[in-house]
Amino acid sequence: MTYVSLENIAKDFGTTRVIKGIDLSIEQGEFVVFVGPSGCGKSTLLRLIAGLEQMSEGRLVIDGRDMTAVDSANRGVAMVFQSYALYPHMTVADNITFGMRMNRVDKAIIAERLERAATMLHLQPYLDRKPAHLSGGQRQRVAIGRAIVRDPSVFLFDEPLSNLDAALRHEMRVEILKLHKSLGSTMIYVTHDQVEAMTMADKIVVLNGGHIEQVGSPLDLYLKPANRFVAEFLGSPKINCFETVVQAVDKGVAILPLPGGATVSLPLDSADISKGDAVTLAIRPEHFVVGETEPQKSKRRWSWWSTLVLKPC
Amino acid sequence: MEHLGAETLLMLKTEGDITLMVKVDGVSHVRSGDSVSLGVRPEACQLFNAAGKTVVFSAIASPE
């Protein structure tokens, strides 16, 4: 069942429309990753869900409640920022409990929630320290702890691992996933890092120029991209693309020339393209087989093309 | 070519000066300047029309 529903959401900055009518359904407990190049609108979309930006058009529903005009504080969402946004003069414990203390939550409940979050995030030894005396990973854990104690219906993460080094990023990725598993909460996670998107998401939303290019599971997007943008965005090194022209379409099978003189035959599902059409053929770097001799007969169904010269470099 | 240990990235130049990036497992014994042949399964190809939209095709082209 849909838990978070984005309905035709648009956002203008001045006369520029940066979010161009987004429709998206998110299930309860899903881990959804917004990914896309710089300026694609992924962070803006997250901030619209958080209520940190006002929508220009559209509607946001969370758990059956229309949140479009509801204040950020009352949407039941908690956001974790790339910059951590901790109070430098407060201890870890005070940072985590700050919101609850402001809202005059019962002291026993505060203590209980702090204990639970600190245990989950392995922060007990550091509760009396100030942020300046923590590593980047520990600071981000404190920021996550502050979100956990709010017991939100939706967690929002805005590039939370971008400031960490590679080893720590991997460690925190695993930790956030563990957290997702144990809390069972709905999480929306923004990143420009396709490794994070591929490894963390139940569902990836690929954004480009303020609209959605494709929504799907990581492997679906990787293996069955809806378009060239998604194919080129996911995968490192990038998918090889070459422009070619359809040589013939015979009984629904398209014959396409490969560089070097060979051809590849692809049985089309529909009459989408015909002879003479300009098309792009794309092959992922790991989908080639490199051999020094001609293929064996058993591999006849493979398309081979003539020898290639390794670029001297 | 780039040796990453677990994998090797080969940059191959084809006729018409198209450069292909190829990833192979482990350490490749191919050397710079070598000629190699390259295979690809039709179902590993992806096809896009002039507008960049995916053209869907079914599993495997039958061998001749």
Side-chain angles (χ1 to χ4, degrees):
Chain A
M1 221 190 86
T2 300
Y3 189 66
V4 180
S5 173
L6 281 63
E7 297 166 15
N8 197 26
I9 288 179
K11 173 68 180 171
D12 300 325
F13 285 132
T15 55
T16 311
R17 177 145 290 197
V18 292
I19 299 290
K20 297 167 183 168
I22 300 270
D23 288 300
L24 182 69
S25 295
I26 295 169
E27 310 280 300
Q28 185 154 25
E30 232 178 351
F31 197 105
V32 177
V33 174
F34 293 173
V35 72
S38 306
C40 70
K42 55 190 187 296
S43 285
T44 304
L45 189 58
L46 194 75
R47 294 173 64 83
L48 288 170
I49 297 170
L52 300 174
E53 301 279 355
Q54 293 287 314
M55 289 172 226
S56 304
E57 273 173 37
R59 192 163 164 260
L60 172 73
V61 180
I62 299 176
D63 198 12
R65 242 186 100 198
D66 188 334
M67 295 292 185
T68 314
V70 174
D71 277 355
S72 180
N74 298 316
R75 288 190 183 189
V77 301
M79 185 130 159
V80 177
F81 298 90
Q82 179 182 349
S83 57
Y84 322 129
L86 302 178
Y87 295 108
H89 60 287
M90 287 187 198
T91 63
V92 168
D94 286 346
N95 263 289
I96 292 176
T97 58
F98 181 75
M100 291 189 287
R101 287 185 286 120
M102 286 298 104
N103 291 325
R104 296 177 206 285
V105 174
D106 185 86
K107 274 188 180 147
I109 294 175
I110 292 181
E112 186 193 312
R113 287 191 180 177
L114 173 63
E115 166 72 20
R116 181 163 162 262
T119 307
M120 264 186 195
L121 296 162
H122 316 293
L123 283 172
Q124 287 105 331
Y126 313 109
L127 288 177
D128 295 326
R129 288 205 199 166
K130 300 262 172 71
H133 300 125
L134 298 174
S135 70
Q138 289 163 344
R139 284 179 211 175
Q140 196 50 284
R141 280 202 201 102
V142 176
I144 294 169
R146 197 174 44 187
I148 289 175
V149 295
R150 295 190 58 190
D151 196 18
S153 50
V154 182
F155 282 85
L156 306 173
F157 293 93
D158 192 7
E159 308 218 22
L161 309 185
S162 297
N163 287 343
L164 307 179
D165 66 49
L168 207 50
R169 268 211 301 274
H170 179 257
E171 194 184 308
M172 286 301 292
R173 226 158 61 206
V174 173
E175 248 180 71
I176 291 174
L177 283 181
K178 270 191 199 157
L179 199 68
H180 176 244
K181 213 169 170 187
S182 63
L183 293 171
S185 312
T186 308
M187 296 186 173
I188 306 176
Y189 188 105
V190 165
T191 183
H192 64 271
D193 180 332
Q194 53 161 301
V195 176
E196 286 176 20
M198 291 298 288
T199 55
M200 299 179 86
D202 294 317
K203 183 152 95 184
I204 295 181
V205 179
V206 180
L207 290 153
N208 179 31
H211 69 266
I212 294 178
E213 292 280 356
Q214 194 175 2
V215 179
S217 74
L219 281 183
D220 261 359
L221 263 55
Y222 190 76
L223 297 171
K224 293 179 214 155
N227 53 50
R228 183 173 172 175
F229 179 86
V230 174
E232 289 198 274
F233 186 76
L234 297 177
S236 176
K238 227 164 97 169
I239 194 166
N240 295 287
C241 286
F242 25 87
E243 315 305 324
T244 187
V245 171
V246 181
Q247 196 173 305
V249 179
D250 182 24
K251 297 189 188 94
V253 178
I255 317 285
L256 297 149
L258 294 166
T263 59
V264 62
S265 307
L266 304 176
L268 301 172
D269 277 9
S270 59
D272 278 352
I273 51 169
S274 41
K275 186 182 170 178
D277 280 0
V279 292
T280 304
L281 194 63
I283 302 169
R284 294 213 176 267
E286 70 275 24
H287 286 160
F288 291 102
V289 171
V290 178
E292 282 145 48
T293 54
E294 281 298 299
Q296 302 296 309
K297 212 174 178 186
S298 61
K299 289 182 179 166
R300 277 286 287 280
R301 70 182 181 80
W302 291 57
S303 287
W304 288 82
W305 67 74
S306 50
T307 49
L308 303 167
V309 180
L310 184 62
K311 197 175 178 180
C313 51
Chain B
M1 88 193 309
E2 293 177 331
H3 288 286
L4 303 174
E7 61 200 32
T8 306
L9 300 180
L10 306 173
M11 275 149 281
L12 299 170
K13 210 168 228 175
T14 74
E15 281 171 33
D17 218 21
I18 294 170
T19 301
L20 296 180
M21 182 72 84
V22 176
K23 183 152 88 177
V24 294
D25 284 344
V27 178
S28 170
H29 298 293
V30 175
R31 300 185 140 203
S32 221
D34 283 359
S35 287
V36 296
S37 66
L38 210 56
V40 65
R41 295 195 319 277
E43 62 264 38
C45 294
Q46 288 171 6
L47 188 61
F48 308 107
N49 66 17
K53 209 172 165 295
T54 297
V55 176
V56 182
F57 56 86
S58 43
I60 306 158
S62 55
E64 290 307 316

